[in-house]
Amino acid sequence: MNALPYQDTKPVGAAGFYTAINATFRFIQGRFGADGLRRYWEDIGTRYYRPVSDRWTAGGLAAVADYWRTFFAAEPGSDVSVTDAADHVEVEVRTCPMIAHLREQSREIVPCFCQHCYFVSEAIGRPAGVTVRVEGGGGSCRQRFYLAASAPAAQTLDAIKEVQS
Amino acid sequence: MIGCYDFCGHYEWTFEWLREMGGDELVKQYWDEAIHQDSQRHAGEMIVNEGIEGMKKYWAHTLEEEAAGFICTSSDKFYRIDMHACPSKGFLIQNGLEQYRDYCDHCIGWIGPLMKRAGFVIDHQHNHCGQCWWEMRRTEDAAVPATRPADDVRLRADWKMPGAMIDSYVHATNVDQKEVLPPEA
């Protein structure tokens, strides 16, 4: 089974779509505020990415690592390593492809943009008993995925930087 | 992270999320404000400033990047796209993704307001199977698009699939100007 539930005919996505993701966040935040944007992220993680949750449920942390390796291989411009540690999966994002592209295009980035990685991944992981901690942001970050039973202290949003455009 | 590899999947999912939150009017506002005026503002700059030349530049780049199956033709009077393999709708069909009632509406949902701003109108049809055609002309040009024997998507054997309705727009700039034609029309 492929780690990505939705398959395209081309191996790598089109970076031009990153501007639409950023614009979507801005639109939803403008209409529904920060709580509405978080609800969107929770809903997309819970509903659209449900097949990812199912893979993580079936395969545990190995499936989490497999997913992120395959995911970033299909995102143009990413510089990311995924490491299997003893009790977690570590995703080190040296170059976030989306932030890099938005900056190249001189786009105004939604300041809380990097929080989406926490809220979406947390919603994907919840049915699988997986939780995430995100540290950094604004173009590079470290994301650690744990089994919920052995996770460290809860995520604080202060640990996720606001994005400077 | 939400990525671009499966963008069309979560984009389409977002239409239905917005419809549930605020109805069809909110979806239309999203296409206009978030896509036309924000995400694709570079398209607006090219097309408003350069007209048909801007369309040629914008779609030559975009459709190549998305690996579309298409033919573009133009003159000093019109710009036309015959799409025989839409990568976006094709992705949704291939993966069985359908949350919103008509994904294809999003194109005229953002391109329509852009063309209105640029002084153009659109003749367009889509068959919900990854095929469509577009012809943009100046607003004051009342010409009816002619059939183009060499590359007209409507002449393909798979244009009218069994049971598939054809959504049709004539000199339009708004998604609400749709006329739905039965497959046999």
Side-chain angles (χ1 to χ4, degrees), chain A residues 4 6-11 13-21 23-24 26-27 31-32 39-40 43-44 47-49 68 71-72 74-76 97-98 106-107 116-117, chain B residues 1-11 13-14 16-18 20-22 26 29-31 33-35 38-42 65-67 87-88 91 94-95 97 99:
Chain A
L4 301 181
Y6 309 121
Q7 299 295 308
D8 201 355
T9 53
K10 52 186 184 299
F17 290 136
Y18 288 144
T19 58
I21 295 171
T24 297
R26 184 165 20 252
F27 179 82
R31 287 299 193 283
F32 301 110
R39 176 177 171 179
Y40 171 72
D43 285 349
I44 202 170
R47 290 155 59 179
Y48 173 75
Y49 288 112
W68 289 116
F71 175 93
F72 280 109
E75 295 298 313
M98 190 141 53
S106 302
R107 296 306 178 109
H116 95 268
C117 278
Chain B
M1 183 180 132
I2 297 173
C4 69
Y5 175 77
D6 65 334
F7 172 80
C8 300
H10 52 77
Y11 184 50
W13 181 90
T14 297
E16 183 60 17
W17 188 88
L18 289 168
E20 290 171 5
M21 293 291 287
L26 184 66
Q29 290 167 5
Y30 168 70
W31 291 332
E33 295 174 31
I35 305 304
D38 188 344
S39 171
Q40 302 308 101
R41 72 178 194 206
H42 53 295
E65 185 183 36
E66 294 180 30
S88 183
F91 176 88
Q94 177 182 322
N95 289 286
L97 294 171
Q99 297 295 315

Side-chain angles (χ1 to χ4, degrees), chain A residues 42-88:
Chain A
E42 292 266 356
D43 285 349
I44 202 170
T46 303
R47 290 155 59 179
Y48 173 75
Y49 288 112
R50 180 70 203 204
V52 178
S53 303
D54 294 343
R55 283 162 167 75
W56 292 6
T57 299
L61 291 180
V64 173
D66 196 19
Y67 175 76
W68 289 116
R69 285 190 187 102
T70 313
F71 175 93
F72 280 109
E75 295 298 313
S78 59
D79 179 9
V80 175
S81 61
V82 179
T83 308
D84 297 286
D87 65 342
H88 69 277

Side-chain angles (χ1 to χ4, degrees), chain A residues 16-152:
Chain A
F17 290 136
Y18 288 144
T19 58
I21 295 171
N22 182 49
T24 297
F25 293 174
R26 184 165 20 252
F27 179 82
I28 292 172
Q29 187 177 47
R31 287 299 193 283
F32 301 110
D35 287 346
L37 186 54
R38 288 180 190 176
R39 176 177 171 179
Y40 171 72
W41 291 336
E42 292 266 356
D43 285 349
I44 202 170
T46 303
R47 290 155 59 179
Y48 173 75
Y49 288 112
R50 180 70 203 204
V52 178
S53 303
D54 294 343
R55 283 162 167 75
W56 292 6
T57 299
L61 291 180
V64 173
D66 196 19
Y67 175 76
W68 289 116
R69 285 190 187 102
T70 313
F71 175 93
F72 280 109
E75 295 298 313
S78 59
D79 179 9
V80 175
S81 61
V82 179
T83 308
D84 297 286
D87 65 342
H88 69 277
V89 170
E90 183 148 327
V91 180
E92 184 181 0
V93 181
R94 289 180 292 273
T95 301
C96 171
M98 190 141 53
I99 297 286
H101 180 80
L102 292 169
R103 284 184 173 143
E104 281 170 15
Q105 299 297 313
S106 302
R107 296 306 178 109
E108 183 181 345
I109 304 171
V110 174
C112 65
F113 188 91
C114 293
Q115 291 183 12
H116 95 268
C117 278
Y118 169 69
F119 285 104
V120 175
S121 288
E122 194 69 4
I124 295 171
R126 194 172 299 119
V130 170
T131 188
V132 65
R133 301 291 179 268
V134 179
E135 185 182 351
S140 61
C141 71
R142 180 171 286 120
Q143 303 181 16
R144 296 186 176 98
F145 292 80
Y146 298 87
L147 294 178
S150 59

Side-chain angles (χ1 to χ4, degrees), chain B residues 4-136:
Chain B
C4 69
Y5 175 77
D6 65 334
F7 172 80
C8 300
H10 52 77
Y11 184 50
E12 192 265 352
W13 181 90
T14 297
F15 300 167
E16 183 60 17
W17 188 88
L18 289 168
R19 195 195 62 77
E20 290 171 5
M21 293 291 287
D24 289 322
E25 196 56 38
L26 184 66
V27 181
K28 284 187 279 184
Q29 290 167 5
Y30 168 70
W31 291 332
D32 185 7
E33 295 174 31
I35 305 304
H36 159 217
Q37 298 178 46
D38 188 344
S39 171
Q40 302 308 101
R41 72 178 194 206
H42 53 295
E45 288 164 8
M46 284 185 207
I47 293 167
V48 169
N49 292 332
E50 302 177 51
I52 288 170
E53 286 304 311
M55 295 179 208
K56 288 158 70 173
K57 289 178 192 170
Y58 172 71
W59 273 295
H61 170 77
T62 299
L63 297 177
E64 287 295 340
E65 185 183 36
E66 294 180 30
F70 67 99
I71 296 168
C72 293
T73 46
S74 62
S75 75
D76 60 341
K77 298 268 193 296
F78 71 89
Y79 178 75
R80 181 181 170 104
I81 301 169
D82 283 88
M83 179 75 72
H84 58 85
C86 171
S88 183
K89 182 64 177 174
F91 176 88
L92 300 177
I93 293 170
Q94 177 182 322
N95 289 286
L97 294 171
E98 186 175 2
Q99 297 295 315
Y100 187 69
R101 64 165 183 274
D102 188 355
Y103 173 78
C104 300
D105 279 351
H106 86 94
C107 268
I108 200 159
W110 75 266
I111 295 169
L114 190 165
M115 290 299 161
K116 183 176 183 179
R117 184 159 64 96
F120 287 83
V121 290
I122 303 167
D123 288 281
H124 163 68
Q125 290 183 315
H126 61 256
N127 70 354
H128 307 93
C129 300
Q131 297 172 333
C132 61
W133 66 273
W134 298 75
E135 199 162 307
M136 276 66 91

